[in-house]
Amino acid sequence: MDEREADVVDAITAQWQRERPDLELEAMAVFGRLGRLLTVATARIESVFTAHGLQRGEFDVLAALRRSGSPFELNPSVLADTLMLSRAGMTGRIDRLEGAGLVRRIADREDRRAVRVALTEQGRALVDTVVVAHTENETAMLSVLSPADRAALDRVSRTLLQGWAS
């Protein structure tokens, strides 16, 4: 290897290269590393949420409500769509968060038959605390990269996502 240290993905691709020299393995190496990055990043990210008594999905609901701006309330179906979750899955999350006093269900001002989910003061305080820890954690995770490398990673990952979405 040049300036890079060999890793487990290099070992796997070297084995394939030995056994099947006819295969193009560049994509396998990239996706192998992306998979390993996802596994490590997920554990580190979720550790922040767990340290604050939340599961990732619960944080996502609180964060969606907080990002929505004052009065920090949304229709449950809008929340489900925003988080790409089934209505039943959203109901379960809202039930848990309501039980913990972090959200409450309120009647919709325009349609009293409909419900909205609103952050409580406790929920807002918690999500404001957790989002600081979350962003600090993610920043620290990327600190091994130079600013130029972080910008390149963002650009390349954006390009891949846009290319795959079409």
Side-chain angles (χ1 to χ4, degrees):
M1 305 272 112
D2 49 4
E3 297 176 14
R4 301 174 297 156
E5 286 188 39
D7 63 13
V8 69
V9 174
D10 290 324
I12 291 167
T13 55
Q15 290 170 334
W16 276 117
Q17 184 65 44
R18 182 189 69 231
E19 297 300 317
R20 291 288 312 271
D22 58 308
L23 294 176
E24 170 52 55
L25 300 171
E26 180 182 37
M28 179 187 281
V30 169
F31 283 105
R33 286 190 181 88
L34 287 173
R36 290 175 183 280
L37 282 168
L38 179 61
T39 299
V40 172
T42 298
R44 289 185 180 186
I45 289 168
E46 289 179 354
S47 71
V48 170
F49 303 139
T50 342
H52 291 88
L54 293 172
Q55 296 174 14
R56 178 171 200 139
E58 295 167 341
F59 171 79
D60 290 343
V61 171
L62 297 175
L65 290 166
R66 181 64 174 95
R67 289 190 319 264
S68 73
S70 186
F72 311 112
E73 59 186 56
L74 292 170
N75 176 295
S77 60
V78 170
L79 268 172
D81 292 344
T82 299
L83 301 177
M84 297 179 287
L85 195 64
S86 71
R87 304 298 194 257
M90 181 54 63
T91 298
R93 286 186 189 176
I94 293 168
D95 288 347
R96 287 190 303 275
L97 291 167
E98 188 173 40
L102 302 174
V103 301
R104 60 190 167 85
R105 288 177 170 98
I106 58 173
D108 189 299
R109 290 173 198 65
E110 296 175 17
D111 180 357
R112 308 258 324 142
R113 296 169 296 167
V115 197
R116 294 181 66 79
V117 178
L119 272 179
T120 62
E121 285 302 317
Q122 180 185 351
R124 182 174 172 189
L126 179 61
V127 74
D128 282 349
T129 297
V130 176
V131 77
V132 169
H134 175 51
T135 56
E136 288 173 350
N137 182 44
E138 289 182 329
T139 299
M141 288 167 54
L142 291 180
S143 69
V144 300
L145 299 175
S146 69
D149 284 346
R150 288 192 300 271
L153 178 60
D154 183 59
R155 180 183 50 75
V156 168
S157 59
R158 181 185 314 273
T159 301
L160 276 173
L161 285 171
Q162 288 171 346
W164 295 346
S166 54

